[in-house]
């Protein structure tokens, strides 16, 4: 028995060393609207693969500028399809690695139950003082909100009440704290497990804005990173897709 114990410990140490040698870390830039689902996906990914996913959340426009300036990201999950395509064209992303991981839905939301009707008529009533929106120059959800308001013929009447956030996370924050009675947010921020988490909302019809097609791409830095390749595979799995759908995204 005494002779077997050292051999057992040596085998266990070797197994642990082998696992640590094969584990890697992937730096991921994630559009703010995808915060909650990506946190859940990353936890499942780490459990299944042994790799570590370090997540950074922010606006797609700002991430583009950071990546162009050498930010050390391996994978980029954008809130649109244009930015990853641009990075691919500019040689900053790996050619052929781009794919659509989710199609987002825009929602008009209030933290107050019953405040937003199911047709968005509250926008026409004009009884609100502030309307939160993400910066349309940096955030695709903000651009979609402006497009929807324009098609509804309401932009000129409400833009003076805009409370503009740098990204969709700030637009949500303004609305959730009551600093704005209403806000255009990503449905995923207020929706989970097939239902609205709180407050009241109107899901903006997709006919009122261009599709919010969200693409992911492997960046040049992540080309030879096994954790980056593993994460991309995991994002395409049924396991990850189930999480994405549970937050109100289309696929």
């Amino acid at each position: 028995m005494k002779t077997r114990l050292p051999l057992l410990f040596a085998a266990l140490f070797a197994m642990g060393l082998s696992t640590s040698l094969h584990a890697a870390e992937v730096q991921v830039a994630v559009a703010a609207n995808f915060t909650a689902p990506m946190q859940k996906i990353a936890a499942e990914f780490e459990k299944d693969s042994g790799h570590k996913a370090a997540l950074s959340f922010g606006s797609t426009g700002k991430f583009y500028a950071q990546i162009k300036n050498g930010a050390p990201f391996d994978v980029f999950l954008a809130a649109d399809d244009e930015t990853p395509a641009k990075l691919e064209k500019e040689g900053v992303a790996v050619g052929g690695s781009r794919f659509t991981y989710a199609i987002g839905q825009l929602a008009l939301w209030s933290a107050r139950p019953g405040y937003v009707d199911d047709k968005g008529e509250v926008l026409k009533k004009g009884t609100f003082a502030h309307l939160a929106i993400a910066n349309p120059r940096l955030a695709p959800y903000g651009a979609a909100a402006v497009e929807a308001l324009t098609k509804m013929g309401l932009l000129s009447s409400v833009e003076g009440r805009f409370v503009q956030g740098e990204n969709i996370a700030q637009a949500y924050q303004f609305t959730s704290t009551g600093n704005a009675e209403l806000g255009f947010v990503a449905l995923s921020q207020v929706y989970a497990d097939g239902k609205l988490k709180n407050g009241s909302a109107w899901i903006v019809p997709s006919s009122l804005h261009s599709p919010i097609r969200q693409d992911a791409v492997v960046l040049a830095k992540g080309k030879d990173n096994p954790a980056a390749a593993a994460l991309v595979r995991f994002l395409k799995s049924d396991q990850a897709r189930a999480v994405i759908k549970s937050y109100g995204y289309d696929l």
Side-chain angles (χ1 to χ4, degrees):
M1 185 69 178
K2 288 182 180 180
T3 57
R4 289 181 183 177
L5 281 174
L7 291 173
L8 176 62
F9 289 140
L12 290 172
F13 176 78
M15 287 173 63
L17 182 61
S18 174
T19 300
S20 65
L21 286 173
H22 286 91
E25 181 172 274
V26 53
Q27 299 286 334
V28 193
V30 185
N33 75 86
F34 205 62
T35 298
M38 191 58 196
Q39 287 173 332
K40 190 169 184 178
I41 288 169
E44 294 184 10
F45 166 70
E46 291 176 8
K47 183 179 178 182
D48 284 10
S49 70
H51 296 303
K52 169 75 176 174
L55 310 177
S56 298
F57 301 100
S59 71
T60 292
K62 281 216 163 184
F63 275 136
Y64 171 77
Q66 290 172 8
I67 291 165
K68 288 287 288 180
N69 285 317
F73 295 117
D74 300 294
V75 176
F76 180 28
L77 274 63
D80 66 3
D81 56 356
E82 295 175 2
T83 306
K86 191 176 180 181
L87 289 168
E88 201 173 30
K89 187 176 180 180
E90 293 168 344
V92 185
V94 177
S97 67
R98 180 166 50 94
F99 68 98
T100 299
Y101 66 91
I103 298 173
Q105 293 196 66
L106 181 69
L108 179 70
W109 178 71
S110 174
R112 303 179 188 178
Y115 191 77
V116 179
D117 59 281
D118 60 4
K119 293 183 179 179
E121 294 292 324
V122 64
L123 287 169
K124 299 177 182 178
K125 294 177 182 176
T127 55
F128 56 93
H130 302 101
L131 174 61
I133 186 172
N135 185 339
R137 295 189 306 276
L138 296 174
Y141 279 83
V146 169
E147 188 179 351
L149 287 169
T150 301
K151 285 191 176 181
M152 295 170 70
L154 296 174
L155 182 62
S156 60
S157 65
V158 302
E159 61 183 341
R161 306 177 209 183
F162 281 175
V163 179
Q164 187 169 285
E166 180 181 287
N167 53 49
I168 201 67
Q170 284 193 348
Y172 169 79
Q173 184 180 19
F174 292 149
T175 313
S176 65
T177 57
N179 288 317
E181 299 96 321
L182 292 168
F184 280 105
V185 302
L187 180 62
S188 59
Q189 294 172 299
V190 297
Y191 188 89
D193 299 322
K195 60 183 179 181
L196 192 67
K197 291 189 284 189
N198 55 60
S200 52
W202 170 54
I203 300 175
V204 180
S206 58
S207 59
L208 290 176
H209 60 80
S210 302
I212 308 174
R213 191 176 297 279
Q214 302 190 196
D215 279 9
V217 70
V218 177
L219 301 170
K221 179 182 175 294
K223 181 179 179 181
D224 299 316
N225 184 343
L231 179 62
V232 166
R233 287 195 301 272
F234 192 80
L235 281 167
K236 297 176 181 178
S237 70
D238 290 341
Q239 189 175 348
R241 287 165 68 87
V243 173
I244 293 168
K245 289 185 74 173
S246 75
Y247 280 89
Y249 292 94
D250 288 329
L251 295 170

